[in-house]
Amino acid sequence: LPPGSRLTVRRKGTRFTVSGPGLKKTTLSARVEDLERDHEVVPLTPHTEAVHKITRQLTWPWDRHPLVIGSYQQGPFRSSVAIWVEAGGGSPVRTLGELRERLDKWSGDPPDPAAWLSVQKAADAEARRLVKEMEALADRRYAGGLAAQRAAARERLLRELARYLACWGQGVDDLNGLFYTAMKKGGPAALRLLQAYELLGGYPEWPDELRTEIQAWLTSITENHRQARLLGKELDAALQDPRWKARV
């Protein structure tokens, strides 16, 4: 204990009663049965405020050991870095085995305060860097997901637009010519085509494989089906695809 500190611990079964100067007498237990039986018993966990108060009583203000932990949190991202203070700086501690190895070699002497402070700053900075790296990676993945959504919506619209234009009965050789002519006619059909034009960013490129696909599809449908397609329900559904709302 730090000089002048007094802390009394009494054990009764699985309960521990702790008392001392400036510390309220507290009974702790790690067993669920004890906690359920007596609501005055405090959970014995690292996150309990009573445990924090007790550990502060056990800590010397000038106490320094060679293991330094740097932590940083931003939103849902958190990182902690362990570094062992040694001559000339510090070395990362990545596994329990590495920690045991350093503890076995440690003489027990506290590290130089200036070296300890320097390593602590480095650990904090590294933890912060790792969190920023996690944030950037999450942002890239999120943006990639949004881009993929819009790409899928665009592909759907392009296919439905090609089918709609092909149903005008002039084939698939000049889809953009049909696109232009249909927009100039006015009416509800022109409005939906204008919306498609804006979403696609102008007159699109029509891949040869899509033309081949639409031509085969066109020869497989009935006249009634072709007329029904000209009502534009499928094209409207593609225009209203919620994936268009994704903003990259």
Side-chain angles (χ1 to χ4, degrees):
L1 291 176
S5 296
R6 290 179 299 167
L7 197 64
T8 302
V9 181
R10 292 186 175 86
R11 177 176 180 177
K12 184 177 181 181
T14 55
R15 299 185 182 191
F16 298 85
T17 300
V18 183
S19 60
L23 184 68
K24 180 182 177 181
K25 186 176 180 180
T26 307
T27 300
L28 306 102
S29 177
R31 288 180 60 85
V32 175
E33 294 82 359
D34 292 338
L35 299 173
E36 291 179 342
R37 190 178 300 116
D38 187 347
H39 294 299
E40 293 187 0
V41 176
V42 176
L44 182 55
T45 73
H47 306 293
T48 304
E49 178 59 28
V51 175
H52 289 178
K53 291 181 179 179
I54 294 170
T55 56
R56 283 196 290 270
Q57 289 284 85
L58 297 173
T59 303
W60 291 39
W62 55 89
D63 184 30
R64 292 288 184 270
H65 51 73
L67 183 64
V68 170
I69 306 294
S71 296
Y72 185 77
Q73 181 171 2
Q74 182 70 35
F77 303 101
R78 179 181 176 85
S79 179
S80 292
V81 175
I83 300 179
W84 187 266
V85 183
E86 55 191 16
S91 59
V93 179
R94 300 183 179 89
T95 67
L96 182 58
E98 290 181 354
L99 177 59
R100 286 173 174 168
E101 182 180 346
R102 286 168 172 78
L103 286 171
D104 290 340
K105 295 178 180 178
W106 181 35
S107 66
D109 295 330
D112 176 73
W116 187 95
L117 183 60
S118 176
V119 171
Q120 179 67 67
K121 290 180 178 179
D124 290 340
E126 177 62 8
R128 181 186 178 90
R129 185 191 69 79
L130 291 173
V131 167
K132 295 302 181 183
E133 193 174 86
M134 284 186 267
E135 284 185 310
L137 177 60
D139 288 343
R140 289 195 298 271
R141 288 177 174 173
Y142 181 71
L146 294 180
Q149 289 185 50
R150 288 184 64 86
R154 189 181 194 282
E155 183 177 350
R156 177 188 180 187
L157 177 58
L158 196 63
R159 179 169 280 100
E160 292 302 337
L161 178 59
R163 289 176 175 175
Y164 178 81
L165 295 173
C167 284
W168 283 61
Q170 299 181 39
V172 296
D173 292 335
D174 188 17
L175 291 174
N176 279 338
L178 291 171
F179 197 0
Y180 173 81
T181 301
M183 277 197 295
K184 292 299 182 181
K185 287 187 175 182
L191 291 176
R192 67 166 60 97
L193 290 173
L194 179 59
Q195 185 181 355
Y197 180 88
E198 292 173 348
L199 286 174
L200 294 172
Y203 293 107
E205 294 289 333
W206 302 96
D208 291 338
E209 58 270 23
L210 179 58
R211 293 177 188 272
T212 301
E213 174 192 323
I214 299 305
Q215 184 61 54
W217 170 83
L218 191 60
T219 58
S220 70
I221 63 174
T222 65
E223 178 61 20
N224 286 340
H225 190 175
R226 188 181 72 83
Q227 292 294 332
R229 277 280 178 166
L230 289 173
L231 295 176
K233 291 175 59 177
E234 293 81 3
L235 180 57
D236 285 340
L239 290 169
Q240 295 164 12
D241 191 317
R243 291 174 293 186
W244 283 113
K245 296 179 181 179
R247 291 288 182 265
V248 179

